[in-house]
């Protein structure tokens, strides 16, 4: 069966520090991968999605970036975090566009 | 802009009662999906209904879709305290088939 791992679960970072969040999927090949941010009490905002290695689409302008160095690995990065980057970050995968998405347990990011 | 909007924003019911949650959307869809999120966790896919379907069932869940009214409803029958969570509708639209989530409904089921 397929599983998705996302870490760390919680992260507290100072303003201006770098960020690297990692997500890996097991049990499937060539998944579509997604990064979302969820503000408190709000819906999900799609940040990036990828349909293949090295293929990244950005949905919103921001100081975050994403990379897909391997088929089942998706990384969310920032060179310098802002206070507004605080939130709950979720990684997800699907077997194709319009298909159900399967989510990791998220990373709670707090910027001080 | 928000494609799917759920109604009500919050719902509190007694265990054993049915819970009905509604979702309205603005543009034509390929399919509509409902997800559940327990506090502090990731979302879990519940059910997908295609634009040419009117009703689907999964266990205690019943989803309807009315494309003429651009609306969907999620019914949870015989609710349990464990059903307490946030529920999101998400629509798939357009050629690129992106999933757009609503803001969610907070369901509280009192034991």
């Amino acid at each position: 069966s397929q599983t998705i791992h996302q870490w760390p679960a919680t992260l507290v970072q100072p303003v201006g520090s770098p960020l690297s969040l990692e997500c890996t999927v097991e049990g499937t090949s060539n998944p579509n991968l997604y990064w979302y941010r969820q503000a408190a009490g709000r819906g999900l905002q799609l940040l990036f999605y990828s349909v293949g290695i090295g293929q990244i689409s950005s949905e919103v302008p921001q100081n975050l970036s994403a990379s897909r160095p391997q088929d089942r690995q998706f990384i969310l990065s920032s060179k310098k975090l802002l206070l507004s980057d605080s939130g709950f970050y979720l990684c997800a995968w699907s077997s194709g566009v319009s298909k159900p998405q399967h989510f990791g347990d998220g990373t709670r990011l707090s910027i001080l | 802009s928000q494609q799917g909007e759920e109604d009500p924003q919050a719902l509190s019911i007694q265990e054993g009662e049915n819970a009905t949650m509604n979702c309205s959307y603005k543009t034509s869809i390929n399919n509509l999906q409902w997800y559940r999120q327990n506090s502090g966790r990731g979302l879990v896919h519940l059910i997908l209904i295609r634009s040419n379907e009117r009703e689907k069932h999964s266990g205690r869940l019943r989803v309807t879709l009315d494309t003429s009214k651009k609306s969907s409803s999620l019914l949870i029958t015989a609710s349990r305290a464990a059903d307490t969570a946030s529920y999101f509708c998400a629509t798939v639209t357009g050629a690129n088939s992106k999933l757009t989530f609503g803001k969610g409904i907070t369901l509280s089921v009192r034991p």
Side-chain angles (χ1 to χ4, degrees):
Chain A
S1 64
Q2 302 90 356
T3 56
I4 179 168
H5 302 281
Q6 190 180 342
W7 67 92
T10 306
L11 189 60
V12 180
Q13 293 283 96
V15 170
S17 63
L19 173 74
S20 180
L21 302 180
E22 189 164 342
C23 173
T24 60
V25 180
E26 296 177 356
T28 187
S29 58
N30 196 31
N32 287 3
L33 296 171
Y34 309 86
W35 278 111
Y36 291 90
R37 178 168 56 207
Q38 184 178 30
R42 301 293 300 275
L44 277 68
Q45 178 186 36
L46 179 63
L47 301 176
F48 301 94
Y49 69 95
S50 171
V51 297
I53 296 175
Q55 300 178 58
I56 309 293
S57 296
S58 173
E59 288 297 297
V60 292
Q62 59 210 321
N63 71 323
L64 299 171
S65 62
S67 61
R68 184 171 178 172
Q70 300 181 43
D71 180 44
R72 290 169 289 178
Q73 184 184 29
F74 206 22
I75 297 172
L76 183 69
S77 304
S78 174
K79 292 181 180 178
K80 280 188 174 184
L81 285 167
L82 307 172
L83 283 173
S84 57
D85 291 323
S86 291
F88 190 50
Y89 288 82
L90 290 157
C91 180
W93 74 271
S94 71
S95 59
V97 293
S98 81
K99 296 291 177 68
Q101 294 185 13
H102 308 279
F103 286 79
D105 277 338
T107 295
R108 177 77 56 192
L109 176 64
S110 299
I111 310 299
L112 304 178
Chain B
S1 63
Q2 211 76 28
Q3 162 71 329
E5 293 195 9
E6 296 95 342
D7 169 64
Q9 291 186 335
L11 182 61
S12 181
I13 59 174
Q14 199 73 33
E15 202 166 29
E17 293 178 341
N18 296 341
T20 300
M21 292 168 270
N22 302 300
C23 172
S24 60
Y25 56 91
K26 298 173 183 173
T27 62
S28 296
I29 60 171
N30 299 335
N31 68 58
L32 185 145
Q33 302 175 27
W34 284 91
Y35 289 78
R36 166 197 169 120
Q37 183 180 32
N38 284 29
S39 181
R41 304 295 299 273
L43 279 72
V44 175
H45 177 261
L46 296 176
I47 200 162
L48 180 155
I49 187 165
R50 294 183 175 80
S51 60
N52 62 352
E53 297 176 311
R54 291 298 166 258
E55 187 171 315
K56 283 189 85 169
H57 297 255
S58 177
R60 292 185 296 115
L61 304 181
R62 173 178 169 251
V63 169
T64 62
L65 179 65
D66 187 335
T67 52
S68 67
K69 295 181 179 178
K70 291 186 170 58
S71 67
S72 172
S73 66
L74 170 66
L75 169 67
I76 303 175
T77 59
S79 64
R80 305 166 182 168
D83 294 328
T84 295
S86 293
Y87 292 82
F88 294 85
C89 75
T91 53
V92 176
T93 60
N96 56 17
S97 297
K98 285 186 217 170
L99 203 58
T100 304
F101 287 85
K103 293 182 182 179
I105 297 171
T106 301
L107 173 65
S108 298
V109 181
R110 303 185 301 275

